[in-house]
């Protein structure tokens, strides 16, 4: 069975992570990259997670887990070393339709984390749907070796002129042609494009 690829905006979204060891820390760092509002629930908390809490990047509740901790969460990640507890968290989330990831236990998950490459606003996600994480990591490295290191900057600048293109160009076909020309300029320059570049392209259209 293949998993359906879906990208969601988690900026400011309440994410509960149960567990505060090395595995939980990895998930915290991933979610911070996408600006989620993270609460970690655990009795034993690693120094690195406390450091993030002191920097006001996350909230830590040093306590035993109970269902009240996750009832308002939009996403839940179970990252404890207690199999029974992880199953209990998964069952509660599925019953209440809260997306849940139980680290390294696919059958308990309603969503899984892909291997991914992030560069500015660009994210490329790869999954083998749990069949082989090793091949997912191999494909990730192939993407990293192929994707030019300035593409994130280029995508960001294209996003900034997008509204102007939509205002000035009526048809989708013509807009695509304009963006293709802007991308070519960015590739030649190995970086971002500007409003001046857009004006030049529009003059020659």
């Amino acid at each position: 069975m293949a998993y359906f690829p879906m990208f969601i905006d988690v900026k400011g979204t309440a994410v509960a992570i149960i567990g505060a060891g090395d595995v939980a820390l990895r998930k915290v760092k991933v979610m911070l990259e996408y600006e989620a509002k993270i609460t970690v629930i655990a009795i034993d908390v690693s120094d690195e997670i406390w450091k993030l809490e002191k920097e006001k990047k996350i909230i830590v509740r040093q306590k035993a887990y109970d269902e009240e901790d996750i009832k308002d969460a939009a996403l839940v990640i179970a990252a404890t070393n207690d199999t029974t507890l992880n199953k209990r968290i998964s069952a509660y989330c599925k019953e209440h339709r809260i997306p849940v990831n139980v680290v390294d236990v696919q059958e308990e998950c309603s969503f899984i984390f892909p291997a991914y490459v992030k560069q500015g606003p660009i994210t490329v996600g790869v999954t083998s749907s749990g069949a082989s994480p090793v091949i997912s990591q191999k494909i990730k490295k192939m993407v990293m070796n192929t994707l030019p290191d300035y593409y994130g900057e280029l995508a960001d600048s294209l996003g900034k002129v997008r509204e102007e293109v939509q205002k000035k160009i009526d048809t989708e076909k013509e807009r695509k042609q304009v963006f293709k020309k802007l991308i070519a300029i960015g590739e030649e320059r190995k970086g971002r494009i500007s409003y001046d570049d857009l004006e030049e392209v529009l003059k020659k259209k």
Side-chain angles (χ1 to χ4, degrees):
M1 178 188 73
Y3 277 71
F4 176 74
M6 182 175 69
F7 291 88
I8 61 172
D9 181 7
V10 297
K11 183 176 181 179
T13 297
V15 176
I17 299 179
I18 298 88
D22 291 341
V23 175
L25 178 63
R26 289 200 300 271
K27 299 306 181 186
V28 167
K29 288 180 176 178
V30 168
M31 299 311 296
L32 281 176
E33 276 197 90
Y34 293 90
E35 301 181 60
K37 184 180 178 182
I38 301 164
T39 300
V40 173
I41 300 105
I43 295 173
D44 297 317
V45 181
S46 71
D47 290 342
E48 285 193 73
I49 286 181
W50 275 127
K51 183 173 181 289
L52 291 171
E53 198 264 351
K54 287 176 183 176
E55 293 169 352
K56 301 189 183 304
K57 293 180 179 178
I58 64 174
I59 296 167
V60 174
R61 293 180 184 164
Q62 191 174 24
K63 62 183 290 294
Y65 162 82
D66 64 57
E67 275 73 22
E68 285 293 310
D69 295 320
I70 63 172
K71 67 182 181 65
D72 295 322
L75 292 174
V76 172
I77 299 166
T80 81
N81 57 8
D82 184 332
T83 303
T84 302
L85 176 57
N86 287 344
K87 285 184 177 181
R88 181 179 146 205
I89 294 166
S90 174
Y92 177 89
C93 289
K94 288 176 180 178
E95 181 183 350
H96 292 83
R97 298 185 179 182
I98 303 170
V100 61
N101 175 270
V102 178
V103 178
D104 292 334
V105 188
Q106 185 180 351
E107 59 270 21
E108 298 292 346
C109 299
S110 58
F111 76 94
I112 60 175
F113 284 86
Y116 72 96
V117 176
K118 184 177 185 298
Q119 195 185 113
I122 295 173
T123 297
V124 180
V126 179
T127 182
S128 63
S129 302
S132 175
V134 174
I135 200 167
S136 296
Q137 289 295 327
K138 182 176 177 62
I139 296 168
K140 171 185 171 178
K141 287 181 180 178
M142 292 166 66
V143 172
M144 290 174 68
N145 292 334
T146 304
L147 187 68
D149 60 8
Y150 58 84
Y151 254 47
E153 183 182 22
L154 177 55
D156 187 57
S157 61
L158 287 166
K160 289 176 180 175
V161 302
R162 187 177 177 213
E163 187 176 342
E164 196 70 17
V165 172
Q166 290 174 329
K167 283 180 184 176
K168 294 184 175 181
I169 307 296
D170 292 329
T171 69
E172 185 65 25
K173 183 178 179 181
E174 288 180 303
R175 288 172 189 161
K176 284 182 179 179
Q177 291 304 314
V178 167
F179 278 119
K180 284 179 181 179
K181 290 175 183 177
L182 290 172
I183 290 169
I185 292 169
E187 288 179 325
E188 185 176 341
R189 195 177 289 160
K190 298 192 185 308
R192 64 178 53 247
I193 53 92
S194 67
Y195 282 98
D196 290 339
D197 295 318
L198 173 59
E199 291 303 322
E200 283 298 313
V201 168
L202 293 177
K203 283 178 187 176
K204 296 175 182 177
K205 187 173 74 70

